[in-house]
Amino acid sequence: MAHTLTANEWGFSVPQDSPFAVFRYLQKIARESVGESNVIDLSRGDPGYGFTPSVRGRRFYGFLAMLDTHLNNGAGRFSIRTDGAGNEGITADIESFTRNSFSKELADALLADLEEFIAALRNMSKECGLEWTAFDVLKNIFSSCAVTGGTYLNPQGEEITRVVLAHWYRQFLPGTITHNDFIVFQGASHAIGTVFKALGKGGIGYLNPDDVVVISSPVYAPYNASLLNRGIKSFVLSVDPVTGVMSEESLNHLESLSNETPSGRLKAIILIDPNNPTGFSLADTSLQRIATIAKKHDCIVITDEVYISFFPRKKTLADYCPERLLRIDARSKIERSTGLRFGDMFISQTANDYLSGNILKKHLAAGQDLKSYLIQAKGPGGPEGELQHTTFVPGPSQFMGIAHMVLGGKEREKYLEDVK
């Protein structure tokens, strides 16, 4: 049944109607009023919506896809072509194919991009203790047609993707970060749904009806819906949208809550910072207070930081309570690629050990840890991982994403200037 918006002088009601239905209504009015080409639709969660993803990244991914058709086809596969040929043989083959397929100018540019990409991946692998050769990088790209979606990938996420993620987040997060600290998802929304599936009554039963979860306001609407649909009580923290400082009254009320009663106990804090949908950033003093409260109640902290790349020097709860943190992020916003569906969750070894061995010890089965359970739960079906053999993030999404991350720097800088 189609959703009917509230009939009043505005044509909708903020408290009664789905925000997504309201957005569609306003989008229609905007397009009819000024024309689609003149609309910048920030309601979609895309800062600077209407900008394009990096041209260099897309061109390079197209080159990889074309190389994949050359290296993996009915006449032979990458593994056969490279058997005994080594790196020199495959490099010569790639160069010959490229120069026969493109003009000299474009061939030179594409081969230079590939050389830069390989060098960057080798350096990133060293940061994770992997020490890849140039051949190792090519194998990660072309083995089993991963770049064009020819294979199921590792449920935790393709290793080359997690190596790039680890390098990227070292710019924003404190502490030691390795590729093993990440799980790859089909966007941040997939990660959010997985957390509730895994921790809720259908999963390990940590978040149950009448439990309390703290959440900041305003907030990305699906969080409210997820809590409401599960009967979980939410305690809303009011935030000044100009200063990013949380209301003293709501913080004092939160600090006064008792954690001695099992029923109604504070179980988790969900923080969207920088905020979605308004885009402001929480003040450090507020983050410190939240961390203190999380430690007092010994609860899980879930942060959604999909806008963090727009605030590269800001502190997050990873600075104040890393031992209890599940951190969600995505490539969508900073790469202008919301259709890419390429998100991730950061859960450090310290956090996995603490959460599994302390807060969730009574809920997890013997020998099980939270990270492995989340990897199982991210598949369709139940949280026990009936379909855990695949990552559910297609190879094309991952390789397009890392092409943007590695080669889109100059265009990203220009984009940030335009958004500011």
Side-chain angles (χ1 to χ4, degrees):
M1 180 182 295
H3 180 83
T4 302
L5 292 172
T6 301
N8 58 24
E9 61 181 301
W10 298 287
F12 63 90
S13 167
V14 171
Q16 295 177 14
D17 295 328
S18 163
F20 297 102
V22 175
F23 291 156
R24 288 193 293 272
Y25 172 74
L26 295 176
Q27 287 158 2
K28 182 173 182 291
I29 292 175
R31 288 194 297 269
E32 291 175 349
S33 300
V34 300
E36 187 167 3
S37 63
N38 295 313
V39 175
I40 295 179
D41 183 5
L42 296 178
S43 74
R44 294 171 58 93
D46 309 3
Y49 184 70
F51 290 80
T52 57
S54 72
V55 172
R56 189 183 183 198
R58 284 182 290 158
R59 185 185 71 175
F60 181 68
Y61 175 76
F63 176 50
L64 293 184
M66 192 169 177
L67 281 178
D68 196 41
T69 65
H70 169 65
L71 297 171
N72 293 294
N73 53 55
R77 300 186 304 277
F78 175 83
S79 58
I80 295 174
R81 294 178 186 278
T82 58
D83 186 25
N87 182 52
E88 292 183 3
I90 191 63
T91 299
D93 185 15
I94 289 173
E95 180 169 0
S96 174
F97 171 77
T98 303
R99 296 202 178 281
N100 288 330
S101 302
F102 302 99
S103 67
K104 182 182 185 304
E105 182 180 8
L106 183 54
D108 287 343
L110 292 173
L111 290 170
D113 284 350
L114 181 60
E115 184 178 0
E116 181 179 335
F117 186 83
I118 290 173
L121 264 295
R122 292 189 67 188
N123 288 331
M124 292 176 191
S125 75
K126 290 178 182 178
E127 297 170 353
C128 295
L130 294 174
E131 297 284 350
W132 283 343
T133 64
F135 181 80
D136 291 330
V137 176
L138 292 172
K139 183 177 180 181
N140 268 287
I141 298 172
F142 296 113
S143 219
S144 304
C145 297
V147 71
T148 51
T151 181
Y152 285 136
L153 301 177
N154 183 308
Q156 184 175 342
E158 183 73 353
E159 187 174 53
I160 190 172
T161 299
R162 291 184 284 111
V163 165
V164 176
L165 286 171
H167 173 78
W168 177 267
Y169 290 119
R170 286 190 194 96
Q171 303 173 60
F172 308 102
L173 302 178
T176 302
I177 298 174
T178 78
H179 60 299
N180 291 320
D181 296 328
F182 294 91
I183 309 173
V184 181
F185 290 88
Q186 280 191 311
S189 301
H190 182 200
I192 295 166
T194 298
V195 168
F196 282 107
K197 185 205 296 191
L199 299 182
K201 62 181 181 180
I204 61 174
Y206 175 73
L207 290 178
N208 298 299
D210 293 329
D211 284 337
V212 177
V213 168
V214 169
I215 196 162
S216 57
S217 178
V219 69
Y220 182 47
Y223 283 103
N224 287 330
S226 295
L227 295 171
L228 182 65
N229 293 339
R230 290 163 175 79
I232 300 171
K233 297 176 181 177
S234 60
F235 182 97
V236 180
L237 286 171
S238 177
V239 184
D240 185 317
V242 177
T243 64
V245 176
M246 290 185 170
S247 157
E248 195 68 25
E249 181 181 0
S250 59
L251 279 171
N252 288 337
H253 186 184
L254 180 58
E255 288 177 333
S256 70
L257 292 178
S258 171
N259 61 358
E260 296 176 359
T261 306
S263 176
R265 182 184 173 192
L266 177 58
K267 291 290 192 69
I269 296 174
I270 299 175
L271 207 60
I272 296 84
D273 180 44
N275 186 270
N276 179 1
T278 60
F280 66 80
S281 174
L282 285 175
D284 286 354
T285 52
S286 295
L287 293 174
Q288 292 171 16
R289 291 280 293 277
I290 287 293
T292 300
I293 293 166
K295 293 173 182 177
K296 171 187 174 183
H297 291 269
D298 200 21
C299 62
I300 294 176
V301 175
I302 302 162
T303 62
D304 183 328
E305 301 179 13
V306 297
Y307 286 98
I308 191 67
S309 301
F310 293 87
F311 299 80
R313 290 174 295 278
K314 86 172 262 46
K315 289 191 175 181
T316 74
L317 284 175
D319 291 279
Y320 299 113
C321 54
E323 79 287 349
R324 61 188 69 246
L325 181 66
L326 297 178
R327 180 191 181 277
I328 296 169
D329 206 333
R331 306 310 317 146
S332 301
K333 307 301 188 293
I334 194 65
E335 305 297 353
R336 299 90 82 197
S337 304
T338 52
L340 202 59
R341 308 320 305 144
F342 176 9
D344 60 82
M345 180 185 294
F346 170 71
I347 173 170
S348 68
Q349 186 63 53
T350 299
N352 190 42
D353 290 344
Y354 182 80
L355 293 170
S356 303
N358 294 276
I359 297 177
L360 301 176
K361 186 175 183 179
K362 296 179 181 179
H363 301 274
L364 292 165
Q368 191 174 50
D369 66 272
L370 175 59
K371 184 179 178 184
S372 63
Y373 192 78
L374 287 168
I375 292 171
Q376 292 177 349
K378 77 171 182 168
E384 298 299 334
E386 298 96 327
L387 299 166
Q388 62 177 285
H389 60 293
T390 173
T391 181
F392 295 101
V393 186
S397 289
Q398 294 191 40
F399 280 94
M400 176 71 90
I402 64 177
H404 288 318
M405 294 171 76
V406 176
L407 298 178
K410 290 184 179 179
E411 292 173 75
R412 191 183 303 113
E413 290 174 7
K414 177 64 168 60
Y415 164 60
L416 285 170
E417 291 175 8
D418 291 340
V419 170
K420 289 176 181 177

